[in-house]
Amino acid sequence: MIPAAFEYYRPTSMEGVLALLQEHGDEARVLAGGHSLIPMMKLRMADVPHLIDLQGIAGLSGITIDGGTIRIGTMTTQHDIIGDAALTAAAPIMAEAALQIADPQVRYMGTVGGNVANGDPGNDMPGLMQCLDAHFHLIGPEGERTVAARDFYDSAYMTAREDDEVLTAITFAVPVGGHAYEKQKRKIGDYATAAAAVQISKEGGKVAAASIAMTNLSDTPVWSEAAGAALVGTDCGADAIKAAVAAMLADIDPTEDNRGPVAFKRHVAGIVLGRAIARAWSRA
Amino acid sequence: MSNKMHVKLNVNGTDHEFLAEPRELLIYALREKLNITGPHVGCETSHCGACTVTLNGKSVKSCTMFVAQANGAEITTIEGLGSPDALHVLQENFKEHHGLQCGFCTPGMITRAAKLLEENPNPTEEEVRFGIAGNICRCTGYQNIVKSILSAASELNSAKEAAQ
């Protein structure tokens, strides 16, 4: 499998990256871990005449927790997420999700930034970021701007990021309450048939707040405000979970593929979400 | 467009410098330019792990990395772990516990297992299975591979205790 030829760049500053992106327009792509882009290039489904490798730029990876805000640099790998004890203490849902992504070798290379910026509906981090109400930090020729994860995804591979912008970091508030990332996949390394990210906080035995997003059940991640709202004020019993699942099923729009027909995916979505809510509640 | 670049790699402690197109996959640079044929080309689609090498301390699938990305890297392949005269403890244990049948996946499997034991010297069976989930074996059913890795871990740990 030989990809089309390309010009390779390894700039050492973000200014250098932005200059290359401006010069080459949509003929250029940035490369992080490469585990989505390189397979597509090998299949010649992606043609990237100018490939800009971000590995030479200092300061793009790392996790900081400061004043209730978690910041994860774009080049931070899934392996880094899993190994970061402070992050796991503050937001255990991150490692729980990262451990269900691909396999060990892919997790050493695959980055958080690549996972969220690629816009692949099968990627796990976009739904998780929507659940956590994360913000994505972009830099471009006009300077820096921030886009909410819940506003970032337009359709498959189409996002709010402009061609000449680079995602530099994600930030989110330290989550409160119980968490769960539940994923159904056919085998290790596969994308989700359905996956759910859930955060629930408890007050006086009732659900105080709930945030629920699902993965690979539409051409974007699906954060369902109604599903979360269906739990608030309840004891998170069987009826409440049923109502939340019904609300989510009204918001997803799966398509048939080799993971199954639509009816099967909707069935799996309900099971996965029910389990995720129950687990998050048990930890709240 | 097809301009070649100078690539420098340190493989198993030896510096190499050669010309390659940036798009060349690392596995082909290793095998065809440097004649380091331990890492195998299995699926070539990032699934099977037969091409696994250790690159700057990470287990990576060398079919999913352009040689340009690896420029400047330190790489360890199965050749760097042991030799026929001085087998690595993992190689000894794969031999002892019959952790292979056809042997095609073995270099990637052992290279990955070496990194796994470096990061987690005392893994449970479940952790071993999870840790080698990126390496596919079509012969053994994994049972003896897992046995080999667990046995190598306990041997390494006893050696460490004896040294203390």
mmCIF file of all heavy atoms in Angstrom, chain A residues 16-56:
data_model
loop_
_atom_site.group_PDB
_atom_site.id
_atom_site.type_symbol
_atom_site.label_atom_id
_atom_site.label_comp_id
_atom_site.label_asym_id
_atom_site.label_seq_id
_atom_site.Cartn_x
_atom_site.Cartn_y
_atom_site.Cartn_z
ATOM 1 N N GLY A 16 5.151 28.658 11.661
ATOM 2 C CA GLY A 16 5.574 27.900 10.486
ATOM 3 C C GLY A 16 4.437 27.030 9.949
ATOM 4 O O GLY A 16 4.231 26.935 8.727
ATOM 5 N N VAL A 17 3.677 26.422 10.843
ATOM 6 C CA VAL A 17 2.547 25.567 10.427
ATOM 7 C C VAL A 17 1.502 26.425 9.714
ATOM 8 O O VAL A 17 1.023 26.069 8.625
ATOM 9 C CB VAL A 17 1.898 24.882 11.661
ATOM 10 C CG1 VAL A 17 0.665 24.091 11.237
ATOM 11 C CG2 VAL A 17 2.903 23.984 12.358
ATOM 12 N N LEU A 18 1.173 27.556 10.320
ATOM 13 C CA LEU A 18 0.120 28.407 9.756
ATOM 14 C C LEU A 18 0.542 28.969 8.399
ATOM 15 O O LEU A 18 -0.277 29.059 7.474
ATOM 16 C CB LEU A 18 -0.228 29.543 10.731
ATOM 17 C CG LEU A 18 -0.840 29.074 12.067
ATOM 18 C CD1 LEU A 18 -1.068 30.260 13.001
ATOM 19 C CD2 LEU A 18 -2.141 28.317 11.853
ATOM 20 N N ALA A 19 1.832 29.291 8.269
ATOM 21 C CA ALA A 19 2.322 29.809 6.983
ATOM 22 C C ALA A 19 2.176 28.739 5.901
ATOM 23 O O ALA A 19 1.749 29.025 4.778
ATOM 24 C CB ALA A 19 3.777 30.266 7.131
ATOM 25 N N LEU A 20 2.509 27.497 6.236
ATOM 26 C CA LEU A 20 2.391 26.400 5.261
ATOM 27 C C LEU A 20 0.923 26.164 4.893
ATOM 28 O O LEU A 20 0.594 25.930 3.722
ATOM 29 C CB LEU A 20 2.996 25.113 5.827
ATOM 30 C CG LEU A 20 4.524 25.055 5.855
ATOM 31 C CD1 LEU A 20 5.011 23.941 6.784
ATOM 32 C CD2 LEU A 20 5.071 24.845 4.442
ATOM 33 N N LEU A 21 0.039 26.225 5.890
ATOM 34 C CA LEU A 21 -1.386 26.012 5.618
ATOM 35 C C LEU A 21 -1.928 27.118 4.713
ATOM 36 O O LEU A 21 -2.735 26.860 3.816
ATOM 37 C CB LEU A 21 -2.182 25.978 6.929
ATOM 38 C CG LEU A 21 -2.085 24.690 7.752
ATOM 39 C CD1 LEU A 21 -2.770 24.862 9.098
ATOM 40 C CD2 LEU A 21 -2.690 23.499 7.008
ATOM 41 N N GLN A 22 -1.464 28.329 4.926
ATOM 42 C CA GLN A 22 -1.933 29.445 4.084
ATOM 43 C C GLN A 22 -1.399 29.313 2.667
ATOM 44 O O GLN A 22 -2.103 29.566 1.694
ATOM 45 C CB GLN A 22 -1.464 30.760 4.693
ATOM 46 C CG GLN A 22 -2.276 31.126 5.918
ATOM 47 C CD GLN A 22 -2.530 32.609 5.997
ATOM 48 O OE1 GLN A 22 -1.654 33.353 6.394
ATOM 49 N NE2 GLN A 22 -3.707 33.032 5.577
ATOM 50 N N GLU A 23 -0.128 28.865 2.585
ATOM 51 C CA GLU A 23 0.499 28.757 1.270
ATOM 52 C C GLU A 23 -0.167 27.665 0.435
ATOM 53 O O GLU A 23 -0.397 27.844 -0.760
ATOM 54 C CB GLU A 23 1.992 28.461 1.453
ATOM 55 C CG GLU A 23 2.780 28.482 0.145
ATOM 56 C CD GLU A 23 4.241 28.092 0.364
ATOM 57 O OE1 GLU A 23 4.699 28.093 1.527
ATOM 58 O OE2 GLU A 23 4.900 27.785 -0.651
ATOM 59 N N HIS A 24 -0.512 26.551 1.061
ATOM 60 C CA HIS A 24 -0.969 25.390 0.278
ATOM 61 C C HIS A 24 -2.472 25.121 0.352
ATOM 62 O O HIS A 24 -2.959 24.210 -0.306
ATOM 63 C CB HIS A 24 -0.178 24.149 0.698
ATOM 64 C CG HIS A 24 1.291 24.296 0.472
ATOM 65 N ND1 HIS A 24 1.843 24.378 -0.790
ATOM 66 C CD2 HIS A 24 2.325 24.431 1.336
ATOM 67 C CE1 HIS A 24 3.161 24.528 -0.688
ATOM 68 N NE2 HIS A 24 3.473 24.572 0.603
ATOM 69 N N GLY A 25 -3.165 25.897 1.156
ATOM 70 C CA GLY A 25 -4.625 25.781 1.185
ATOM 71 C C GLY A 25 -5.090 24.366 1.455
ATOM 72 O O GLY A 25 -4.557 23.675 2.319
ATOM 73 N N ASP A 26 -6.092 23.912 0.696
ATOM 74 C CA ASP A 26 -6.643 22.586 1.001
ATOM 75 C C ASP A 26 -5.790 21.447 0.442
ATOM 76 O O ASP A 26 -6.171 20.279 0.531
ATOM 77 C CB ASP A 26 -8.113 22.479 0.559
ATOM 78 C CG ASP A 26 -8.288 22.676 -0.930
ATOM 79 O OD1 ASP A 26 -7.258 22.773 -1.640
ATOM 80 O OD2 ASP A 26 -9.445 22.747 -1.387
ATOM 81 N N GLU A 27 -4.613 21.781 -0.112
ATOM 82 C CA GLU A 27 -3.670 20.717 -0.488
ATOM 83 C C GLU A 27 -2.811 20.300 0.697
ATOM 84 O O GLU A 27 -2.000 19.380 0.588
ATOM 85 C CB GLU A 27 -2.752 21.212 -1.612
ATOM 86 C CG GLU A 27 -3.479 21.481 -2.925
ATOM 87 C CD GLU A 27 -2.610 21.146 -4.120
ATOM 88 O OE1 GLU A 27 -1.412 21.468 -4.072
ATOM 89 O OE2 GLU A 27 -3.143 20.536 -5.065
ATOM 90 N N ALA A 28 -2.972 20.998 1.821
ATOM 91 C CA ALA A 28 -2.148 20.697 2.996
ATOM 92 C C ALA A 28 -3.015 20.165 4.120
ATOM 93 O O ALA A 28 -4.174 20.549 4.271
ATOM 94 C CB ALA A 28 -1.406 21.951 3.451
ATOM 95 N N ARG A 29 -2.437 19.244 4.894
ATOM 96 C CA ARG A 29 -3.102 18.750 6.115
ATOM 97 C C ARG A 29 -2.052 18.649 7.203
ATOM 98 O O ARG A 29 -0.894 18.340 6.922
ATOM 99 C CB ARG A 29 -3.688 17.337 5.894
ATOM 100 C CG ARG A 29 -4.916 17.255 5.016
ATOM 101 C CD ARG A 29 -6.215 17.666 5.715
ATOM 102 N NE ARG A 29 -6.585 16.836 6.858
ATOM 103 C CZ ARG A 29 -7.327 15.732 6.776
ATOM 104 N NH1 ARG A 29 -7.760 15.292 5.615
ATOM 105 N NH2 ARG A 29 -7.648 15.054 7.868
ATOM 106 N N VAL A 30 -2.472 18.887 8.448
ATOM 107 C CA VAL A 30 -1.540 18.646 9.539
ATOM 108 C C VAL A 30 -1.654 17.181 9.970
ATOM 109 O O VAL A 30 -2.706 16.559 9.838
ATOM 110 C CB VAL A 30 -1.770 19.579 10.748
ATOM 111 C CG1 VAL A 30 -1.524 21.031 10.355
ATOM 112 C CG2 VAL A 30 -3.153 19.397 11.335
ATOM 113 N N LEU A 31 -0.541 16.669 10.464
ATOM 114 C CA LEU A 31 -0.441 15.272 10.892
ATOM 115 C C LEU A 31 -0.120 15.232 12.379
ATOM 116 O O LEU A 31 0.860 15.827 12.816
ATOM 117 C CB LEU A 31 0.689 14.588 10.108
ATOM 118 C CG LEU A 31 0.985 13.127 10.448
ATOM 119 C CD1 LEU A 31 -0.067 12.216 9.836
ATOM 120 C CD2 LEU A 31 2.357 12.727 9.942
ATOM 121 N N ALA A 32 -0.961 14.565 13.156
ATOM 122 C CA ALA A 32 -0.668 14.381 14.586
ATOM 123 C C ALA A 32 -0.156 12.958 14.756
ATOM 124 O O ALA A 32 0.954 12.647 14.346
ATOM 125 C CB ALA A 32 -1.913 14.672 15.415
ATOM 126 N N GLY A 33 -0.975 12.057 15.294
ATOM 127 C CA GLY A 33 -0.548 10.660 15.426
ATOM 128 C C GLY A 33 -0.637 9.902 14.107
ATOM 129 O O GLY A 33 0.025 8.892 13.903
ATOM 130 N N GLY A 34 -1.492 10.379 13.234
ATOM 131 C CA GLY A 34 -1.558 9.803 11.888
ATOM 132 C C GLY A 34 -2.374 8.533 11.756
ATOM 133 O O GLY A 34 -2.467 7.975 10.660
ATOM 134 N N HIS A 35 -2.989 8.063 12.863
ATOM 135 C CA HIS A 35 -3.628 6.749 12.758
ATOM 136 C C HIS A 35 -5.034 6.780 12.155
ATOM 137 O O HIS A 35 -5.660 5.734 11.987
ATOM 138 C CB HIS A 35 -3.563 6.018 14.093
ATOM 139 C CG HIS A 35 -2.228 5.328 14.242
ATOM 140 N ND1 HIS A 35 -1.032 5.976 14.036
ATOM 141 C CD2 HIS A 35 -1.906 4.046 14.530
ATOM 142 C CE1 HIS A 35 -0.037 5.114 14.204
ATOM 143 N NE2 HIS A 35 -0.550 3.938 14.501
ATOM 144 N N SER A 36 -5.521 7.960 11.808
ATOM 145 C CA SER A 36 -6.689 8.054 10.933
ATOM 146 C C SER A 36 -6.241 8.444 9.528
ATOM 147 O O SER A 36 -6.679 7.862 8.533
ATOM 148 C CB SER A 36 -7.681 9.102 11.447
ATOM 149 O OG SER A 36 -8.192 8.728 12.698
ATOM 150 N N LEU A 37 -5.343 9.425 9.463
ATOM 151 C CA LEU A 37 -4.957 9.980 8.159
ATOM 152 C C LEU A 37 -4.096 9.017 7.333
ATOM 153 O O LEU A 37 -4.322 8.849 6.132
ATOM 154 C CB LEU A 37 -4.214 11.313 8.372
ATOM 155 C CG LEU A 37 -3.846 12.087 7.111
ATOM 156 C CD1 LEU A 37 -5.070 12.389 6.260
ATOM 157 C CD2 LEU A 37 -3.117 13.386 7.468
ATOM 158 N N ILE A 38 -3.116 8.382 7.983
ATOM 159 C CA ILE A 38 -2.193 7.541 7.203
ATOM 160 C C ILE A 38 -2.917 6.353 6.555
ATOM 161 O O ILE A 38 -2.711 6.086 5.366
ATOM 162 C CB ILE A 38 -0.983 7.101 8.070
ATOM 163 C CG1 ILE A 38 -0.137 8.337 8.394
ATOM 164 C CG2 ILE A 38 -0.136 6.050 7.353
ATOM 165 C CD1 ILE A 38 0.963 8.099 9.409
ATOM 166 N N PRO A 39 -3.784 5.628 7.291
ATOM 167 C CA PRO A 39 -4.525 4.555 6.592
ATOM 168 C C PRO A 39 -5.328 5.071 5.394
ATOM 169 O O PRO A 39 -5.388 4.396 4.362
ATOM 170 C CB PRO A 39 -5.446 4.010 7.698
ATOM 171 C CG PRO A 39 -4.695 4.276 8.964
ATOM 172 C CD PRO A 39 -4.018 5.600 8.747
ATOM 173 N N MET A 40 -5.905 6.263 5.521
ATOM 174 C CA MET A 40 -6.667 6.827 4.395
ATOM 175 C C MET A 40 -5.738 7.181 3.239
ATOM 176 O O MET A 40 -6.101 7.041 2.071
ATOM 177 C CB MET A 40 -7.432 8.072 4.858
ATOM 178 C CG MET A 40 -8.637 7.782 5.713
ATOM 179 S SD MET A 40 -9.872 6.764 4.851
ATOM 180 C CE MET A 40 -9.736 5.238 5.744
ATOM 181 N N MET A 41 -4.534 7.660 3.557
ATOM 182 C CA MET A 41 -3.564 7.981 2.493
ATOM 183 C C MET A 41 -3.073 6.709 1.818
ATOM 184 O O MET A 41 -2.892 6.662 0.598
ATOM 185 C CB MET A 41 -2.387 8.770 3.078
ATOM 186 C CG MET A 41 -2.767 10.181 3.513
ATOM 187 S SD MET A 41 -1.431 11.046 4.369
ATOM 188 C CE MET A 41 -0.302 11.385 3.000
ATOM 189 N N LYS A 42 -2.868 5.650 2.627
ATOM 190 C CA LYS A 42 -2.411 4.378 2.047
ATOM 191 C C LYS A 42 -3.464 3.801 1.102
ATOM 192 O O LYS A 42 -3.128 3.178 0.091
ATOM 193 C CB LYS A 42 -2.102 3.378 3.168
ATOM 194 C CG LYS A 42 -0.797 3.688 3.904
ATOM 195 C CD LYS A 42 -0.708 2.969 5.233
ATOM 196 C CE LYS A 42 -0.550 1.466 5.055
ATOM 197 N NZ LYS A 42 -0.518 0.804 6.400
ATOM 198 N N LEU A 43 -4.732 3.994 1.452
ATOM 199 C CA LEU A 43 -5.815 3.515 0.572
ATOM 200 C C LEU A 43 -6.065 4.459 -0.594
ATOM 201 O O LEU A 43 -6.920 4.205 -1.438
ATOM 202 C CB LEU A 43 -7.105 3.362 1.388
ATOM 203 C CG LEU A 43 -7.121 2.251 2.443
ATOM 204 C CD1 LEU A 43 -8.283 2.443 3.404
ATOM 205 C CD2 LEU A 43 -7.203 0.881 1.772
ATOM 206 N N ARG A 44 -5.340 5.570 -0.589
ATOM 207 C CA ARG A 44 -5.509 6.647 -1.585
ATOM 208 C C ARG A 44 -6.929 7.213 -1.555
ATOM 209 O O ARG A 44 -7.447 7.683 -2.579
ATOM 210 C CB ARG A 44 -5.105 6.187 -2.993
ATOM 211 C CG ARG A 44 -3.639 5.791 -3.017
ATOM 212 C CD ARG A 44 -2.979 6.036 -4.333
ATOM 213 N NE ARG A 44 -1.566 5.654 -4.270
ATOM 214 C CZ ARG A 44 -0.655 6.071 -5.110
ATOM 215 N NH1 ARG A 44 -0.980 6.885 -6.099
ATOM 216 N NH2 ARG A 44 0.598 5.697 -4.977
ATOM 217 N N MET A 45 -7.546 7.115 -0.393
ATOM 218 C CA MET A 45 -8.822 7.800 -0.212
ATOM 219 C C MET A 45 -8.580 9.232 0.238
ATOM 220 O O MET A 45 -9.478 10.065 0.175
ATOM 221 C CB MET A 45 -9.690 7.045 0.797
ATOM 222 C CG MET A 45 -10.176 5.712 0.221
ATOM 223 S SD MET A 45 -10.932 4.659 1.456
ATOM 224 C CE MET A 45 -12.519 5.427 1.665
ATOM 225 N N ALA A 46 -7.379 9.501 0.737
ATOM 226 C CA ALA A 46 -6.982 10.877 1.050
ATOM 227 C C ALA A 46 -5.723 11.177 0.248
ATOM 228 O O ALA A 46 -4.796 10.370 0.206
ATOM 229 C CB ALA A 46 -6.708 11.028 2.543
ATOM 230 N N ASP A 47 -5.712 12.316 -0.408
ATOM 231 C CA ASP A 47 -4.551 12.752 -1.166
ATOM 232 C C ASP A 47 -4.079 14.049 -0.511
ATOM 233 O O ASP A 47 -4.805 15.031 -0.476
ATOM 234 C CB ASP A 47 -4.956 12.982 -2.635
ATOM 235 C CG ASP A 47 -3.762 13.412 -3.473
ATOM 236 O OD1 ASP A 47 -2.620 13.221 -3.019
ATOM 237 O OD2 ASP A 47 -3.983 13.958 -4.567
ATOM 238 N N VAL A 48 -2.888 13.985 0.062
ATOM 239 C CA VAL A 48 -2.376 15.147 0.797
ATOM 240 C C VAL A 48 -1.032 15.552 0.190
ATOM 241 O O VAL A 48 0.015 15.048 0.597
ATOM 242 C CB VAL A 48 -2.204 14.800 2.296
ATOM 243 C CG1 VAL A 48 -1.742 16.033 3.072
ATOM 244 C CG2 VAL A 48 -3.502 14.262 2.885
ATOM 245 N N PRO A 49 -1.031 16.445 -0.763
ATOM 246 C CA PRO A 49 0.247 16.811 -1.404
ATOM 247 C C PRO A 49 1.251 17.459 -0.453
ATOM 248 O O PRO A 49 2.458 17.363 -0.662
ATOM 249 C CB PRO A 49 -0.177 17.800 -2.493
ATOM 250 C CG PRO A 49 -1.622 17.508 -2.744
ATOM 251 C CD PRO A 49 -2.186 17.074 -1.418
ATOM 252 N N HIS A 50 0.735 18.120 0.597
ATOM 253 C CA HIS A 50 1.640 18.774 1.552
ATOM 254 C C HIS A 50 1.271 18.328 2.964
ATOM 255 O O HIS A 50 0.211 18.698 3.480
ATOM 256 C CB HIS A 50 1.550 20.290 1.429
ATOM 257 C CG HIS A 50 1.964 20.773 0.071
ATOM 258 N ND1 HIS A 50 3.276 21.024 -0.264
ATOM 259 C CD2 HIS A 50 1.229 21.016 -1.051
ATOM 260 C CE1 HIS A 50 3.343 21.412 -1.525
ATOM 261 N NE2 HIS A 50 2.114 21.412 -2.039
ATOM 262 N N LEU A 51 2.146 17.529 3.553
ATOM 263 C CA LEU A 51 1.862 16.944 4.865
ATOM 264 C C LEU A 51 2.706 17.644 5.931
ATOM 265 O O LEU A 51 3.939 17.646 5.858
ATOM 266 C CB LEU A 51 2.179 15.440 4.826
ATOM 267 C CG LEU A 51 1.757 14.626 6.038
ATOM 268 C CD1 LEU A 51 0.237 14.618 6.192
ATOM 269 C CD2 LEU A 51 2.270 13.190 5.905
ATOM 270 N N ILE A 52 2.011 18.238 6.896
ATOM 271 C CA ILE A 52 2.704 19.049 7.906
ATOM 272 C C ILE A 52 2.661 18.312 9.247
ATOM 273 O O ILE A 52 1.616 18.249 9.898
ATOM 274 C CB ILE A 52 2.033 20.430 8.043
ATOM 275 C CG1 ILE A 52 1.914 21.102 6.670
ATOM 276 C CG2 ILE A 52 2.824 21.306 9.009
ATOM 277 C CD1 ILE A 52 0.971 22.303 6.670
ATOM 278 N N ASP A 53 3.792 17.752 9.637
ATOM 279 C CA ASP A 53 3.893 16.952 10.866
ATOM 280 C C ASP A 53 4.047 17.898 12.060
ATOM 281 O O ASP A 53 4.925 18.767 12.065
ATOM 282 C CB ASP A 53 5.120 16.031 10.741
ATOM 283 C CG ASP A 53 5.196 14.982 11.837
ATOM 284 O OD1 ASP A 53 4.521 15.147 12.868
ATOM 285 O OD2 ASP A 53 5.949 14.004 11.647
ATOM 286 N N LEU A 54 3.181 17.732 13.058
ATOM 287 C CA LEU A 54 3.204 18.633 14.223
ATOM 288 C C LEU A 54 4.176 18.186 15.309
ATOM 289 O O LEU A 54 4.306 18.849 16.338
ATOM 290 C CB LEU A 54 1.793 18.742 14.831
ATOM 291 C CG LEU A 54 0.698 19.350 13.943
ATOM 292 C CD1 LEU A 54 -0.635 19.363 14.695
ATOM 293 C CD2 LEU A 54 1.064 20.760 13.499
ATOM 294 N N GLN A 55 4.884 17.063 15.130
ATOM 295 C CA GLN A 55 5.680 16.510 16.240
ATOM 296 C C GLN A 55 6.828 17.409 16.663
ATOM 297 O O GLN A 55 7.342 17.278 17.779
ATOM 298 C CB GLN A 55 6.191 15.101 15.899
ATOM 299 C CG GLN A 55 7.250 15.042 14.825
ATOM 300 C CD GLN A 55 7.927 13.671 14.771
ATOM 301 O OE1 GLN A 55 8.686 13.298 15.644
ATOM 302 N NE2 GLN A 55 7.640 12.895 13.731
ATOM 303 N N GLY A 56 7.262 18.334 15.790
ATOM 304 C CA GLY A 56 8.418 19.172 16.130
ATOM 305 C C GLY A 56 8.064 20.408 16.941
ATOM 306 O O GLY A 56 8.947 21.189 17.308
#
